[in-house]
Amino acid sequence: MADFDSRDDFLPARCPGPGWEDILAADDIAPPDFVAQDQYRYLGSEPIDAKRYYDPEFFALENERMWPRVWQFAAREEDLPEPGDYVTYENAGRSYLIVRQADGEVKAFHNVCLHRGRKLATNNGNADQFLCPFHGFSWNPDGSLRNIPCRWDFGHLSDEKMQLPEASVGRWQGYIFVRESEEGSSLEEFLSPLPEYFKRWKHEECVTVAWVGKVVKANWKITMEAFMESYHAYVTHPQLMPFTGDANAAYHVLSDHVNVNYTPFGVVSPHISEKKLSEQWIIEEFGKYNGRSADNYDGEDDAGAVEVPEGRTARQALGEAMRATSQKMFGGDYSQISESELLDALVYNVFPNFAPWGGFMPNIVYRWRPWPDQDHCLMEVRVIARVPEGEPRPKGVPMHMLGEDEDWSDAPELGVLGGVVDQDMSNMELTHEGLKVSKNQSVELGDYQEVRIRHFHQTLDTYLAD
């Protein structure tokens, strides 16, 4: 990875005016140091080859050299809370059964009958055995052989030989990961520095309250990269400009596998700041269009009802209101929680395809998977929320799979967030088509606002080169 000091004439590009650190400095309560610390790295300015997004050979190389060697977010703990619960996870030509064991542990088995190769399961559920619907071979939830019909004809097959092959499993903050390869870094090393950062936000105390998926007619990287920068917001999401500091956002490279985009809310975009709009108007627009925190307001506590006192800012007023409503809804003490952790989009990306939001609000969790080729992907949007103190932990909701003719806004559980994602989708298919017919076959990236995309591709190259 290149460092910005490697180029003598380089000055980090920043939008004129207040930056991320300035906005945080004006808040009532400071966030953790790691949120405010500038960890940007200059990684070069060379274009990206367009073929990486549509070439079948490049896609095959990803499947061969990258996907088997990385930790993949496969499920949340609340997806399979009871012994015998299982989740079918598929990606890049592999299928796994993620199964809760009797002792509470989780195992991942290759989801293939060892007789003639049929998939054992195609859904999620609970089972005391995995029975192949073809010939009736069956396995126990721990992967051990249970039965072979007409066993007299298979004297050459021992129970040991017929144990279902396993994949590596890792668990962190309520997330369950799988990796095909037995070799490589531990999950904690792979996720670093998130295990340290997320201690404060305790995603293990959250549960899935909304989960929507849709097949997108675009490469998984094209679709994912649209959610790795705020640069597109001014044109794609104009309704967000009254309360989103899109060009004030910070972009940090944290490790080989992790980067982050911090985008401030409760401030006017620099693109429209010359209009000198009131702080109260910022609050009103926030209440209408900020999808992530809509559930933190109800009835008379609606965000639009928040008044900005004389001498205060919309961001400060929103912070005060959200501390009060968060404490009322979830319990605990929010009096010393920063505005940033209650308002802002703290969007982390873990290579290659997992993006959990930080902070204390109901958090968005993105995942993108090839589905099934280089021209399509499955995009998923989860929302996880804190379980109120003293209440039992419920089972997570199942994924709502949208049909080809349905929009994200047709999923009522997403609220106004669905409309925001629809705006993003309007770009995906046309970007995929455009890259195929591009004359110069190059993708040009900004040095700062799109550094996370460059970081992703440089990490991808390290896997493909081996």
Side-chain angles (χ1 to χ4, degrees), residues 59 61-72 89 91-92 94 96 178-181 220 351-353 368-370 463-464:
F59 180 76
L61 201 60
E62 290 176 342
N63 289 353
E64 175 190 346
R65 298 187 181 180
M66 186 270 287
W67 286 113
R69 298 167 56 200
V70 295
W71 286 105
Q72 301 175 45
Y89 172 69
N91 187 32
R94 293 290 187 269
Y96 303 97
V178 298
R179 183 179 63 193
E180 181 174 345
S181 174
W220 68 279
F351 182 88
N353 66 329
W368 301 268
R369 290 181 275 173
Y463 283 90
L464 303 187

PDB file of all heavy atoms in Angstrom, residues 59 61-72 89 91-92 94 96 178-181 220 351-353 368-370 463-464:
ATOM      1  N   PHE A  59     -13.596 -12.690 -13.356  1.00  0.00           N
ATOM      2  CA  PHE A  59     -14.563 -13.219 -12.390  1.00  0.00           C
ATOM      3  C   PHE A  59     -14.149 -14.619 -11.940  1.00  0.00           C
ATOM      4  O   PHE A  59     -14.223 -14.950 -10.750  1.00  0.00           O
ATOM      5  CB  PHE A  59     -15.945 -13.251 -13.036  1.00  0.00           C
ATOM      6  CG  PHE A  59     -17.037 -13.782 -12.155  1.00  0.00           C
ATOM      7  CD1 PHE A  59     -17.570 -13.015 -11.134  1.00  0.00           C
ATOM      8  CD2 PHE A  59     -17.546 -15.056 -12.358  1.00  0.00           C
ATOM      9  CE1 PHE A  59     -18.581 -13.506 -10.314  1.00  0.00           C
ATOM     10  CE2 PHE A  59     -18.556 -15.556 -11.551  1.00  0.00           C
ATOM     11  CZ  PHE A  59     -19.078 -14.773 -10.528  1.00  0.00           C
ATOM     12  N   LEU A  61     -11.158 -15.797 -11.851  1.00  0.00           N
ATOM     13  CA  LEU A  61      -9.968 -15.661 -11.016  1.00  0.00           C
ATOM     14  C   LEU A  61     -10.351 -15.275  -9.585  1.00  0.00           C
ATOM     15  O   LEU A  61      -9.759 -15.776  -8.623  1.00  0.00           O
ATOM     16  CB  LEU A  61      -9.038 -14.610 -11.625  1.00  0.00           C
ATOM     17  CG  LEU A  61      -7.560 -14.656 -11.215  1.00  0.00           C
ATOM     18  CD1 LEU A  61      -6.937 -15.996 -11.606  1.00  0.00           C
ATOM     19  CD2 LEU A  61      -6.797 -13.501 -11.870  1.00  0.00           C
ATOM     20  N   GLU A  62     -11.340 -14.402  -9.437  1.00  0.00           N
ATOM     21  CA  GLU A  62     -11.837 -14.062  -8.100  1.00  0.00           C
ATOM     22  C   GLU A  62     -12.347 -15.314  -7.385  1.00  0.00           C
ATOM     23  O   GLU A  62     -12.059 -15.535  -6.203  1.00  0.00           O
ATOM     24  CB  GLU A  62     -12.976 -13.047  -8.195  1.00  0.00           C
ATOM     25  CG  GLU A  62     -12.569 -11.660  -8.631  1.00  0.00           C
ATOM     26  CD  GLU A  62     -13.770 -10.735  -8.796  1.00  0.00           C
ATOM     27  OE1 GLU A  62     -14.915 -11.233  -8.898  1.00  0.00           O
ATOM     28  OE2 GLU A  62     -13.560  -9.508  -8.832  1.00  0.00           O
ATOM     29  N   ASN A  63     -13.124 -16.118  -8.107  1.00  0.00           N
ATOM     30  CA  ASN A  63     -13.703 -17.326  -7.508  1.00  0.00           C
ATOM     31  C   ASN A  63     -12.634 -18.341  -7.123  1.00  0.00           C
ATOM     32  O   ASN A  63     -12.775 -19.057  -6.122  1.00  0.00           O
ATOM     33  CB  ASN A  63     -14.688 -17.970  -8.473  1.00  0.00           C
ATOM     34  CG  ASN A  63     -15.962 -17.166  -8.620  1.00  0.00           C
ATOM     35  OD1 ASN A  63     -16.181 -16.188  -7.913  1.00  0.00           O
ATOM     36  ND2 ASN A  63     -16.812 -17.577  -9.541  1.00  0.00           N
ATOM     37  N   GLU A  64     -11.570 -18.387  -7.903  1.00  0.00           N
ATOM     38  CA  GLU A  64     -10.518 -19.371  -7.648  1.00  0.00           C
ATOM     39  C   GLU A  64      -9.564 -18.927  -6.543  1.00  0.00           C
ATOM     40  O   GLU A  64      -9.202 -19.729  -5.667  1.00  0.00           O
ATOM     41  CB  GLU A  64      -9.729 -19.600  -8.941  1.00  0.00           C
ATOM     42  CG  GLU A  64      -8.525 -20.518  -8.769  1.00  0.00           C
ATOM     43  CD  GLU A  64      -7.635 -20.539  -9.994  1.00  0.00           C
ATOM     44  OE1 GLU A  64      -8.056 -20.059 -11.071  1.00  0.00           O
ATOM     45  OE2 GLU A  64      -6.490 -21.033  -9.874  1.00  0.00           O
ATOM     46  N   ARG A  65      -9.147 -17.656  -6.563  1.00  0.00           N
ATOM     47  CA  ARG A  65      -8.043 -17.232  -5.708  1.00  0.00           C
ATOM     48  C   ARG A  65      -8.444 -16.349  -4.528  1.00  0.00           C
ATOM     49  O   ARG A  65      -7.706 -16.290  -3.546  1.00  0.00           O
ATOM     50  CB  ARG A  65      -6.993 -16.490  -6.546  1.00  0.00           C
ATOM     51  CG  ARG A  65      -6.367 -17.340  -7.627  1.00  0.00           C
ATOM     52  CD  ARG A  65      -5.232 -16.608  -8.307  1.00  0.00           C
ATOM     53  NE  ARG A  65      -4.628 -17.413  -9.364  1.00  0.00           N
ATOM     54  CZ  ARG A  65      -3.604 -17.002 -10.119  1.00  0.00           C
ATOM     55  NH1 ARG A  65      -3.087 -15.795  -9.927  1.00  0.00           N
ATOM     56  NH2 ARG A  65      -3.118 -17.787 -11.060  1.00  0.00           N
ATOM     57  N   MET A  66      -9.580 -15.671  -4.647  1.00  0.00           N
ATOM     58  CA  MET A  66      -9.935 -14.757  -3.570  1.00  0.00           C
ATOM     59  C   MET A  66     -10.988 -15.318  -2.638  1.00  0.00           C
ATOM     60  O   MET A  66     -10.763 -15.463  -1.437  1.00  0.00           O
ATOM     61  CB  MET A  66     -10.391 -13.412  -4.144  1.00  0.00           C
ATOM     62  CG  MET A  66     -10.639 -12.336  -3.083  1.00  0.00           C
ATOM     63  SD  MET A  66     -12.349 -12.314  -2.446  1.00  0.00           S
ATOM     64  CE  MET A  66     -13.210 -11.608  -3.827  1.00  0.00           C
ATOM     65  N   TRP A  67     -12.167 -15.637  -3.144  1.00  0.00           N
ATOM     66  CA  TRP A  67     -13.285 -16.013  -2.283  1.00  0.00           C
ATOM     67  C   TRP A  67     -12.966 -17.170  -1.319  1.00  0.00           C
ATOM     68  O   TRP A  67     -13.346 -17.102  -0.132  1.00  0.00           O
ATOM     69  CB  TRP A  67     -14.518 -16.352  -3.109  1.00  0.00           C
ATOM     70  CG  TRP A  67     -15.207 -15.162  -3.706  1.00  0.00           C
ATOM     71  CD1 TRP A  67     -15.307 -14.827  -5.024  1.00  0.00           C
ATOM     72  CD2 TRP A  67     -15.910 -14.124  -2.995  1.00  0.00           C
ATOM     73  NE1 TRP A  67     -16.004 -13.656  -5.189  1.00  0.00           N
ATOM     74  CE2 TRP A  67     -16.397 -13.198  -3.958  1.00  0.00           C
ATOM     75  CE3 TRP A  67     -16.170 -13.886  -1.648  1.00  0.00           C
ATOM     76  CZ2 TRP A  67     -17.125 -12.070  -3.603  1.00  0.00           C
ATOM     77  CZ3 TRP A  67     -16.896 -12.760  -1.289  1.00  0.00           C
ATOM     78  CH2 TRP A  67     -17.370 -11.858  -2.264  1.00  0.00           C
ATOM     79  N   PRO A  68     -12.269 -18.227  -1.721  1.00  0.00           N
ATOM     80  CA  PRO A  68     -12.015 -19.317  -0.763  1.00  0.00           C
ATOM     81  C   PRO A  68     -11.101 -18.911   0.396  1.00  0.00           C
ATOM     82  O   PRO A  68     -11.065 -19.598   1.412  1.00  0.00           O
ATOM     83  CB  PRO A  68     -11.342 -20.394  -1.628  1.00  0.00           C
ATOM     84  CG  PRO A  68     -11.719 -20.065  -3.038  1.00  0.00           C
ATOM     85  CD  PRO A  68     -11.789 -18.580  -3.077  1.00  0.00           C
ATOM     86  N   ARG A  69     -10.390 -17.791   0.269  1.00  0.00           N
ATOM     87  CA  ARG A  69      -9.348 -17.448   1.247  1.00  0.00           C
ATOM     88  C   ARG A  69      -9.734 -16.293   2.165  1.00  0.00           C
ATOM     89  O   ARG A  69      -8.915 -15.869   2.991  1.00  0.00           O
ATOM     90  CB  ARG A  69      -8.060 -17.106   0.491  1.00  0.00           C
ATOM     91  CG  ARG A  69      -7.521 -18.274  -0.331  1.00  0.00           C
ATOM     92  CD  ARG A  69      -6.448 -17.799  -1.296  1.00  0.00           C
ATOM     93  NE  ARG A  69      -5.367 -17.102  -0.621  1.00  0.00           N
ATOM     94  CZ  ARG A  69      -4.534 -16.267  -1.243  1.00  0.00           C
ATOM     95  NH1 ARG A  69      -4.697 -16.008  -2.527  1.00  0.00           N
ATOM     96  NH2 ARG A  69      -3.570 -15.687  -0.565  1.00  0.00           N
ATOM     97  N   VAL A  70     -10.941 -15.769   2.033  1.00  0.00           N
ATOM     98  CA  VAL A  70     -11.346 -14.628   2.856  1.00  0.00           C
ATOM     99  C   VAL A  70     -12.474 -15.033   3.797  1.00  0.00           C
ATOM    100  O   VAL A  70     -13.260 -15.939   3.510  1.00  0.00           O
ATOM    101  CB  VAL A  70     -11.802 -13.438   1.982  1.00  0.00           C
ATOM    102  CG1 VAL A  70     -10.643 -12.907   1.150  1.00  0.00           C
ATOM    103  CG2 VAL A  70     -12.985 -13.810   1.092  1.00  0.00           C
ATOM    104  N   TRP A  71     -12.541 -14.345   4.928  1.00  0.00           N
ATOM    105  CA  TRP A  71     -13.658 -14.523   5.839  1.00  0.00           C
ATOM    106  C   TRP A  71     -14.882 -13.836   5.256  1.00  0.00           C
ATOM    107  O   TRP A  71     -14.823 -12.661   4.893  1.00  0.00           O
ATOM    108  CB  TRP A  71     -13.332 -13.929   7.210  1.00  0.00           C
ATOM    109  CG  TRP A  71     -12.364 -14.735   8.015  1.00  0.00           C
ATOM    110  CD1 TRP A  71     -11.046 -14.450   8.238  1.00  0.00           C
ATOM    111  CD2 TRP A  71     -12.636 -15.949   8.723  1.00  0.00           C
ATOM    112  NE1 TRP A  71     -10.475 -15.411   9.036  1.00  0.00           N
ATOM    113  CE2 TRP A  71     -11.430 -16.348   9.355  1.00  0.00           C
ATOM    114  CE3 TRP A  71     -13.781 -16.734   8.885  1.00  0.00           C
ATOM    115  CZ2 TRP A  71     -11.345 -17.508  10.138  1.00  0.00           C
ATOM    116  CZ3 TRP A  71     -13.687 -17.889   9.655  1.00  0.00           C
ATOM    117  CH2 TRP A  71     -12.485 -18.259  10.271  1.00  0.00           C
ATOM    118  N   GLN A  72     -15.987 -14.570   5.165  1.00  0.00           N
ATOM    119  CA  GLN A  72     -17.226 -14.047   4.589  1.00  0.00           C
ATOM    120  C   GLN A  72     -18.326 -14.008   5.652  1.00  0.00           C
ATOM    121  O   GLN A  72     -18.567 -15.006   6.339  1.00  0.00           O
ATOM    122  CB  GLN A  72     -17.692 -14.930   3.433  1.00  0.00           C
ATOM    123  CG  GLN A  72     -16.692 -15.071   2.298  1.00  0.00           C
ATOM    124  CD  GLN A  72     -17.175 -16.053   1.248  1.00  0.00           C
ATOM    125  OE1 GLN A  72     -18.341 -16.028   0.843  1.00  0.00           O
ATOM    126  NE2 GLN A  72     -16.286 -16.921   0.794  1.00  0.00           N
ATOM    127  N   TYR A  89     -25.996 -20.744   3.262  1.00  0.00           N
ATOM    128  CA  TYR A  89     -25.238 -19.603   2.747  1.00  0.00           C
ATOM    129  C   TYR A  89     -24.537 -20.011   1.458  1.00  0.00           C
ATOM    130  O   TYR A  89     -23.799 -21.006   1.436  1.00  0.00           O
ATOM    131  CB  TYR A  89     -24.203 -19.125   3.766  1.00  0.00           C
ATOM    132  CG  TYR A  89     -23.264 -18.075   3.209  1.00  0.00           C
ATOM    133  CD1 TYR A  89     -23.728 -16.795   2.906  1.00  0.00           C
ATOM    134  CD2 TYR A  89     -21.924 -18.369   2.971  1.00  0.00           C
ATOM    135  CE1 TYR A  89     -22.876 -15.837   2.380  1.00  0.00           C
ATOM    136  CE2 TYR A  89     -21.066 -17.415   2.445  1.00  0.00           C
ATOM    137  CZ  TYR A  89     -21.553 -16.147   2.161  1.00  0.00           C
ATOM    138  OH  TYR A  89     -20.698 -15.193   1.624  1.00  0.00           O
ATOM    139  N   ASN A  91     -22.325 -18.622  -2.083  1.00  0.00           N
ATOM    140  CA  ASN A  91     -21.564 -17.547  -2.710  1.00  0.00           C
ATOM    141  C   ASN A  91     -20.454 -18.129  -3.574  1.00  0.00           C
ATOM    142  O   ASN A  91     -19.777 -19.082  -3.169  1.00  0.00           O
ATOM    143  CB  ASN A  91     -20.953 -16.621  -1.654  1.00  0.00           C
ATOM    144  CG  ASN A  91     -20.290 -15.401  -2.272  1.00  0.00           C
ATOM    145  OD1 ASN A  91     -20.726 -14.906  -3.307  1.00  0.00           O
ATOM    146  ND2 ASN A  91     -19.225 -14.927  -1.662  1.00  0.00           N
ATOM    147  N   ALA A  92     -20.281 -17.525  -4.744  1.00  0.00           N
ATOM    148  CA  ALA A  92     -19.129 -17.796  -5.609  1.00  0.00           C
ATOM    149  C   ALA A  92     -18.904 -19.285  -5.847  1.00  0.00           C
ATOM    150  O   ALA A  92     -17.785 -19.795  -5.754  1.00  0.00           O
ATOM    151  CB  ALA A  92     -17.871 -17.151  -5.029  1.00  0.00           C
ATOM    152  N   ARG A  94     -19.959 -21.863  -4.088  1.00  0.00           N
ATOM    153  CA  ARG A  94     -19.928 -22.710  -2.901  1.00  0.00           C
ATOM    154  C   ARG A  94     -21.254 -22.591  -2.160  1.00  0.00           C
ATOM    155  O   ARG A  94     -21.912 -21.562  -2.191  1.00  0.00           O
ATOM    156  CB  ARG A  94     -18.787 -22.311  -1.968  1.00  0.00           C
ATOM    157  CG  ARG A  94     -17.396 -22.575  -2.536  1.00  0.00           C
ATOM    158  CD  ARG A  94     -17.105 -24.069  -2.597  1.00  0.00           C
ATOM    159  NE  ARG A  94     -15.729 -24.328  -2.989  1.00  0.00           N
ATOM    160  CZ  ARG A  94     -15.325 -24.500  -4.249  1.00  0.00           C
ATOM    161  NH1 ARG A  94     -16.213 -24.412  -5.238  1.00  0.00           N
ATOM    162  NH2 ARG A  94     -14.066 -24.749  -4.521  1.00  0.00           N
ATOM    163  N   TYR A  96     -22.961 -23.613   1.761  1.00  0.00           N
ATOM    164  CA  TYR A  96     -22.650 -24.049   3.119  1.00  0.00           C
ATOM    165  C   TYR A  96     -23.927 -24.166   3.953  1.00  0.00           C
ATOM    166  O   TYR A  96     -24.882 -23.405   3.758  1.00  0.00           O
ATOM    167  CB  TYR A  96     -21.723 -23.051   3.816  1.00  0.00           C
ATOM    168  CG  TYR A  96     -20.424 -22.794   3.099  1.00  0.00           C
ATOM    169  CD1 TYR A  96     -20.285 -21.688   2.261  1.00  0.00           C
ATOM    170  CD2 TYR A  96     -19.321 -23.636   3.265  1.00  0.00           C
ATOM    171  CE1 TYR A  96     -19.089 -21.432   1.608  1.00  0.00           C
ATOM    172  CE2 TYR A  96     -18.121 -23.382   2.612  1.00  0.00           C
ATOM    173  CZ  TYR A  96     -18.014 -22.279   1.775  1.00  0.00           C
ATOM    174  OH  TYR A  96     -16.835 -22.030   1.120  1.00  0.00           O
ATOM    175  N   VAL A 178     -17.667 -17.469   7.624  1.00  0.00           N
ATOM    176  CA  VAL A 178     -17.119 -18.739   7.150  1.00  0.00           C
ATOM    177  C   VAL A 178     -15.944 -18.451   6.220  1.00  0.00           C
ATOM    178  O   VAL A 178     -15.867 -17.389   5.598  1.00  0.00           O
ATOM    179  CB  VAL A 178     -18.169 -19.597   6.400  1.00  0.00           C
ATOM    180  CG1 VAL A 178     -19.307 -19.975   7.316  1.00  0.00           C
ATOM    181  CG2 VAL A 178     -18.673 -18.893   5.160  1.00  0.00           C
ATOM    182  N   ARG A 179     -15.035 -19.416   6.162  1.00  0.00           N
ATOM    183  CA  ARG A 179     -13.929 -19.368   5.204  1.00  0.00           C
ATOM    184  C   ARG A 179     -13.641 -20.783   4.742  1.00  0.00           C
ATOM    185  O   ARG A 179     -13.524 -21.694   5.563  1.00  0.00           O
ATOM    186  CB  ARG A 179     -12.674 -18.751   5.838  1.00  0.00           C
ATOM    187  CG  ARG A 179     -11.504 -18.599   4.856  1.00  0.00           C
ATOM    188  CD  ARG A 179     -10.291 -17.950   5.519  1.00  0.00           C
ATOM    189  NE  ARG A 179      -9.764 -18.784   6.599  1.00  0.00           N
ATOM    190  CZ  ARG A 179      -8.885 -18.360   7.499  1.00  0.00           C
ATOM    191  NH1 ARG A 179      -8.456 -17.111   7.474  1.00  0.00           N
ATOM    192  NH2 ARG A 179      -8.449 -19.181   8.442  1.00  0.00           N
ATOM    193  N   GLU A 180     -13.544 -20.970   3.445  1.00  0.00           N
ATOM    194  CA  GLU A 180     -13.295 -22.309   2.927  1.00  0.00           C
ATOM    195  C   GLU A 180     -11.910 -22.807   3.293  1.00  0.00           C
ATOM    196  O   GLU A 180     -11.728 -23.952   3.704  1.00  0.00           O
ATOM    197  CB  GLU A 180     -13.463 -22.329   1.406  1.00  0.00           C
ATOM    198  CG  GLU A 180     -13.243 -23.706   0.813  1.00  0.00           C
ATOM    199  CD  GLU A 180     -13.546 -23.761  -0.668  1.00  0.00           C
ATOM    200  OE1 GLU A 180     -14.185 -22.836  -1.188  1.00  0.00           O
ATOM    201  OE2 GLU A 180     -13.128 -24.742  -1.324  1.00  0.00           O
ATOM    202  N   SER A 181     -10.916 -21.951   3.156  1.00  0.00           N
ATOM    203  CA  SER A 181      -9.546 -22.353   3.435  1.00  0.00           C
ATOM    204  C   SER A 181      -9.325 -22.485   4.934  1.00  0.00           C
ATOM    205  O   SER A 181      -9.825 -21.685   5.731  1.00  0.00           O
ATOM    206  CB  SER A 181      -8.569 -21.324   2.862  1.00  0.00           C
ATOM    207  OG  SER A 181      -7.238 -21.623   3.248  1.00  0.00           O
ATOM    208  N   TRP A 220     -20.989  -7.291  -8.764  1.00  0.00           N
ATOM    209  CA  TRP A 220     -21.061  -7.063  -7.326  1.00  0.00           C
ATOM    210  C   TRP A 220     -20.167  -5.905  -6.885  1.00  0.00           C
ATOM    211  O   TRP A 220     -20.510  -5.157  -5.963  1.00  0.00           O
ATOM    212  CB  TRP A 220     -20.720  -8.342  -6.556  1.00  0.00           C
ATOM    213  CG  TRP A 220     -19.294  -8.810  -6.668  1.00  0.00           C
ATOM    214  CD1 TRP A 220     -18.747  -9.526  -7.688  1.00  0.00           C
ATOM    215  CD2 TRP A 220     -18.249  -8.610  -5.715  1.00  0.00           C
ATOM    216  NE1 TRP A 220     -17.415  -9.783  -7.441  1.00  0.00           N
ATOM    217  CE2 TRP A 220     -17.088  -9.228  -6.239  1.00  0.00           C
ATOM    218  CE3 TRP A 220     -18.173  -7.965  -4.481  1.00  0.00           C
ATOM    219  CZ2 TRP A 220     -15.858  -9.222  -5.564  1.00  0.00           C
ATOM    220  CZ3 TRP A 220     -16.962  -7.953  -3.809  1.00  0.00           C
ATOM    221  CH2 TRP A 220     -15.825  -8.582  -4.347  1.00  0.00           C
ATOM    222  N   PHE A 351     -13.176  -6.106   3.713  1.00  0.00           N
ATOM    223  CA  PHE A 351     -12.937  -6.805   2.450  1.00  0.00           C
ATOM    224  C   PHE A 351     -13.421  -8.253   2.547  1.00  0.00           C
ATOM    225  O   PHE A 351     -13.189  -8.911   3.559  1.00  0.00           O
ATOM    226  CB  PHE A 351     -11.431  -6.771   2.146  1.00  0.00           C
ATOM    227  CG  PHE A 351     -11.059  -7.415   0.834  1.00  0.00           C
ATOM    228  CD1 PHE A 351     -11.062  -6.675  -0.333  1.00  0.00           C
ATOM    229  CD2 PHE A 351     -10.710  -8.755   0.772  1.00  0.00           C
ATOM    230  CE1 PHE A 351     -10.723  -7.256  -1.540  1.00  0.00           C
ATOM    231  CE2 PHE A 351     -10.374  -9.345  -0.429  1.00  0.00           C
ATOM    232  CZ  PHE A 351     -10.386  -8.590  -1.589  1.00  0.00           C
ATOM    233  N   PRO A 352     -14.106  -8.784   1.542  1.00  0.00           N
ATOM    234  CA  PRO A 352     -14.401  -8.085   0.291  1.00  0.00           C
ATOM    235  C   PRO A 352     -15.791  -7.463   0.198  1.00  0.00           C
ATOM    236  O   PRO A 352     -16.006  -6.604  -0.641  1.00  0.00           O
ATOM    237  CB  PRO A 352     -14.264  -9.207  -0.738  1.00  0.00           C
ATOM    238  CG  PRO A 352     -14.722 -10.437  -0.003  1.00  0.00           C
ATOM    239  CD  PRO A 352     -14.284 -10.254   1.430  1.00  0.00           C
ATOM    240  N   ASN A 353     -16.781  -7.859   1.040  1.00  0.00           N
ATOM    241  CA  ASN A 353     -18.179  -7.531   0.691  1.00  0.00           C
ATOM    242  C   ASN A 353     -19.099  -7.296   1.873  1.00  0.00           C
ATOM    243  O   ASN A 353     -20.299  -7.489   1.783  1.00  0.00           O
ATOM    244  CB  ASN A 353     -18.769  -8.668  -0.159  1.00  0.00           C
ATOM    245  CG  ASN A 353     -18.917  -9.975   0.607  1.00  0.00           C
ATOM    246  OD1 ASN A 353     -18.140 -10.278   1.506  1.00  0.00           O
ATOM    247  ND2 ASN A 353     -19.917 -10.752   0.242  1.00  0.00           N
ATOM    248  N   TRP A 368     -22.880  -7.858  -0.313  1.00  0.00           N
ATOM    249  CA  TRP A 368     -23.023  -8.034  -1.756  1.00  0.00           C
ATOM    250  C   TRP A 368     -22.374  -9.359  -2.156  1.00  0.00           C
ATOM    251  O   TRP A 368     -21.281  -9.683  -1.695  1.00  0.00           O
ATOM    252  CB  TRP A 368     -22.326  -6.906  -2.518  1.00  0.00           C
ATOM    253  CG  TRP A 368     -22.837  -5.539  -2.182  1.00  0.00           C
ATOM    254  CD1 TRP A 368     -23.826  -4.841  -2.812  1.00  0.00           C
ATOM    255  CD2 TRP A 368     -22.376  -4.673  -1.132  1.00  0.00           C
ATOM    256  NE1 TRP A 368     -24.007  -3.609  -2.230  1.00  0.00           N
ATOM    257  CE2 TRP A 368     -23.134  -3.472  -1.194  1.00  0.00           C
ATOM    258  CE3 TRP A 368     -21.389  -4.783  -0.145  1.00  0.00           C
ATOM    259  CZ2 TRP A 368     -22.933  -2.411  -0.317  1.00  0.00           C
ATOM    260  CZ3 TRP A 368     -21.200  -3.729   0.739  1.00  0.00           C
ATOM    261  CH2 TRP A 368     -21.965  -2.564   0.645  1.00  0.00           C
ATOM    262  N   ARG A 369     -23.066 -10.125  -3.018  1.00  0.00           N
ATOM    263  CA  ARG A 369     -22.529 -11.405  -3.480  1.00  0.00           C
ATOM    264  C   ARG A 369     -22.757 -11.571  -4.978  1.00  0.00           C
ATOM    265  O   ARG A 369     -23.824 -11.175  -5.481  1.00  0.00           O
ATOM    266  CB  ARG A 369     -23.225 -12.567  -2.765  1.00  0.00           C
ATOM    267  CG  ARG A 369     -22.892 -12.725  -1.316  1.00  0.00           C
ATOM    268  CD  ARG A 369     -23.619 -13.914  -0.703  1.00  0.00           C
ATOM    269  NE  ARG A 369     -24.972 -13.586  -0.261  1.00  0.00           N
ATOM    270  CZ  ARG A 369     -25.849 -14.485   0.174  1.00  0.00           C
ATOM    271  NH1 ARG A 369     -25.527 -15.778   0.180  1.00  0.00           N
ATOM    272  NH2 ARG A 369     -27.051 -14.114   0.578  1.00  0.00           N
ATOM    273  N   PRO A 370     -21.800 -12.139  -5.713  1.00  0.00           N
ATOM    274  CA  PRO A 370     -22.085 -12.498  -7.112  1.00  0.00           C
ATOM    275  C   PRO A 370     -23.300 -13.413  -7.162  1.00  0.00           C
ATOM    276  O   PRO A 370     -23.400 -14.347  -6.369  1.00  0.00           O
ATOM    277  CB  PRO A 370     -20.816 -13.249  -7.542  1.00  0.00           C
ATOM    278  CG  PRO A 370     -19.762 -12.831  -6.578  1.00  0.00           C
ATOM    279  CD  PRO A 370     -20.453 -12.545  -5.286  1.00  0.00           C
ATOM    280  N   TYR A 463      -4.625 -10.902  -3.466  1.00  0.00           N
ATOM    281  CA  TYR A 463      -5.159 -12.266  -3.499  1.00  0.00           C
ATOM    282  C   TYR A 463      -5.020 -12.883  -4.891  1.00  0.00           C
ATOM    283  O   TYR A 463      -4.692 -14.075  -5.023  1.00  0.00           O
ATOM    284  CB  TYR A 463      -6.625 -12.276  -3.070  1.00  0.00           C
ATOM    285  CG  TYR A 463      -6.814 -12.142  -1.587  1.00  0.00           C
ATOM    286  CD1 TYR A 463      -6.952 -10.892  -0.990  1.00  0.00           C
ATOM    287  CD2 TYR A 463      -6.832 -13.259  -0.758  1.00  0.00           C
ATOM    288  CE1 TYR A 463      -7.105 -10.764   0.387  1.00  0.00           C
ATOM    289  CE2 TYR A 463      -6.992 -13.149   0.619  1.00  0.00           C
ATOM    290  CZ  TYR A 463      -7.121 -11.895   1.182  1.00  0.00           C
ATOM    291  OH  TYR A 463      -7.277 -11.778   2.540  1.00  0.00           O
ATOM    292  N   LEU A 464      -5.282 -12.100  -5.911  1.00  0.00           N
ATOM    293  CA  LEU A 464      -5.239 -12.644  -7.274  1.00  0.00           C
ATOM    294  C   LEU A 464      -3.817 -12.943  -7.737  1.00  0.00           C
ATOM    295  O   LEU A 464      -3.617 -13.784  -8.607  1.00  0.00           O
ATOM    296  CB  LEU A 464      -5.902 -11.652  -8.247  1.00  0.00           C
ATOM    297  CG  LEU A 464      -7.349 -11.276  -7.936  1.00  0.00           C
ATOM    298  CD1 LEU A 464      -7.920 -10.445  -9.069  1.00  0.00           C
ATOM    299  CD2 LEU A 464      -8.206 -12.518  -7.692  1.00  0.00           C
TER     300      LEU A 464
END
